Amino acid sequence: MTTPVTAKQSVLGLLALLFFGLFSLNAFAGVARVEVVPFSTHTFSDAQFLTTDVGDEQTIAGVLRLPQKPASDAKLPAVILMHGSSGYGGYVDDWVQRLNAMGIATFVPDSVTGRGLVGGVGSRQAALGRLATVEDAYRSLEILAQDARIDPDRIALMGFSRGGQAALYAGMTRFQKLHLHGDGHFAAIVAFYPNCLYRYLQDEQMADIPIRIFHGEADDYNPFGVCQSYVERLQKAGVDAEITGYPDAYHVFDWPGQPEPAFEPEAQSARACRIEETSPGVLTNLDTNAPFTYADDCVQRGTTYGYNAAAATQVEQVVPAFFRQVLKLPEN
């Protein structure tokens, strides 16, 4: 059970992160304005999210950064970035800086601090339903789509690890019909090393947008092969989905803040589990034929993460080029 946190506490927490150590001064280069935006969302268990749009109302906050606008009065494209189990850290902010430098606004919701989950949920994955952050992505989209400074037709979604899973499955039409309100829509989805272990009902039915996944083939947190199989299913269903795997790359391979591979002994991973939604809202461990929980024997502890220069160099070229195309940015 999470500890309730007020909107004021959530905002103060984000302000502290923003101004007292999380961001370097270089993070503000080319940025015209930084805003901390509180907003209402819901905290769902996975079963609730899969079957209803009624959950515990929660106020969290996100960081909006607006880059310097071009000479014209054109509205800005934007990317929503979903953090992983550890929360909003440098591995996200590096991408924020790259996108801002391209003239793209960014919005990063803090899905853990505002829910009282200080320090993240890497070692306690059951503390927050994995689909709760999909709800945060949808609410973030609604905020940006209503912002007069943002072009509502040029908003993309990007996520990392747990946030990559949220970004990926936010494209499901089933989830959008149940949880996405208003006329907002994503222009594209980018997912870094997501968890693809969950097989949901109707998970091959996706919004008609491009989906790109970037994954380390040596990832021992979220297995590459499961995502590869999912992409093959999506492609057979006619979805514009692609996955790029990088040999010898571990989890968080794109972050130079961890220059050498490191082992996190307490991190929980369901990498050995087979999980399927066998009826609406029921996530079943196929090895036990019982509802999946993080107390199941297939759940393991200990994962590796670290920078891979070759893989990072490639994604730092490919991903900006992809956003330049789908968000219709002018050529330099």
Side-chain angles (χ1 to χ4, degrees):
M1 183 175 182
T2 60
T3 302
V5 176
T6 67
K8 181 178 180 181
Q9 289 173 316
S10 181
V11 172
L12 289 175
L14 274 171
L15 283 171
L17 290 174
L18 183 59
F19 294 110
F20 295 101
L22 179 58
F23 308 118
S24 68
L25 291 177
N26 291 334
F28 298 100
V31 177
R33 185 170 179 81
V34 180
E35 299 175 359
V36 176
V37 182
F39 64 95
S40 179
T41 185
H42 291 87
T43 299
F44 292 97
S45 68
D46 286 343
Q48 287 176 319
F49 183 92
L50 290 165
T51 56
T52 180
D53 64 351
V54 178
D56 294 333
E57 189 169 0
Q58 195 89 44
T59 298
I60 63 173
V63 178
L64 173 66
R65 282 192 183 139
L66 300 171
Q68 299 286 349
K69 291 187 67 173
S72 69
D73 291 329
K75 293 185 177 183
L76 292 164
V79 174
I80 299 164
L81 297 98
M82 308 300 297
H83 62 68
S85 298
S86 60
Y88 186 176
Y91 66 100
V92 178
D93 208 53
D94 283 354
W95 281 103
V96 168
Q97 293 179 47
R98 294 186 189 105
L99 296 171
N100 289 159
M102 295 172 61
I104 300 172
T106 56
F107 187 75
V108 187
D110 183 345
S111 294
V112 293
T113 305
R115 291 183 167 97
L117 299 169
V118 178
V121 296
S123 61
R124 44 174 178 164
Q125 293 288 344
L128 181 64
R130 300 197 69 88
L131 296 174
T133 46
V134 178
E135 181 78 3
D136 298 345
Y138 289 158
R139 302 290 79 77
S140 299
L141 173 62
E142 291 168 5
I143 289 170
L144 294 187
Q146 295 170 8
D147 192 315
R149 300 164 295 185
I150 304 297
D151 184 344
D153 292 323
R154 294 194 293 159
I155 301 173
L157 179 62
M158 182 178 187
F160 307 83
S161 192
R162 177 188 268 252
Q165 179 183 7
L168 178 59
Y169 292 104
M172 283 179 55
T173 54
R174 172 191 170 198
F175 292 172
Q176 292 188 357
K177 289 177 181 177
L178 186 60
H179 292 280
L180 182 56
H181 312 305
D183 298 326
H185 59 276
F186 299 114
I189 288 173
V190 171
F192 273 74
Y193 28 86
N195 180 329
C196 303
L197 291 162
Y198 293 73
R199 185 163 182 166
Y200 300 106
L201 295 172
Q202 304 175 31
D203 65 3
E204 296 169 3
Q205 298 176 24
M206 288 283 193
D208 186 18
I209 57 174
I211 298 170
R212 301 293 182 264
I213 300 175
F214 301 92
H215 216 306
E217 294 182 8
D219 196 314
D220 60 4
Y221 199 164
N222 296 329
F224 166 76
V226 184
C227 286
Q228 187 176 40
S229 297
Y230 181 42
V231 168
E232 291 172 356
R233 289 197 291 119
L234 290 175
Q235 291 173 340
K236 289 180 181 178
V239 178
D240 180 5
E242 297 179 6
I243 184 170
T244 303
Y246 297 99
D248 304 319
Y250 293 110
H251 208 61
V252 201
F253 66 81
D254 55 316
W255 186 43
Q258 180 57 51
E260 298 293 334
F263 186 72
E264 175 50 60
E266 293 303 314
Q268 280 186 311
S269 170
R271 57 182 174 260
C273 302
R274 297 187 303 135
I275 307 163
E276 183 172 333
E277 186 185 6
T278 50
S279 61
V282 179
L283 292 171
T284 299
N285 181 334
L286 296 182
D287 293 325
T288 64
N289 290 318
F292 169 77
T293 76
Y294 271 93
D296 288 356
D297 290 340
C298 63
V299 176
Q300 302 175 0
R301 288 192 183 272
T303 63
T304 309
Y305 65 101
Y307 183 63
N308 182 295
T313 298
Q314 292 185 49
V315 296
E316 288 171 18
Q317 297 172 351
V318 173
V319 172
F322 175 70
F323 280 136
R324 189 171 297 280
Q325 177 185 10
V326 297
L327 297 181
K328 301 176 182 178
L329 299 181
E331 296 296 330
N332 291 333

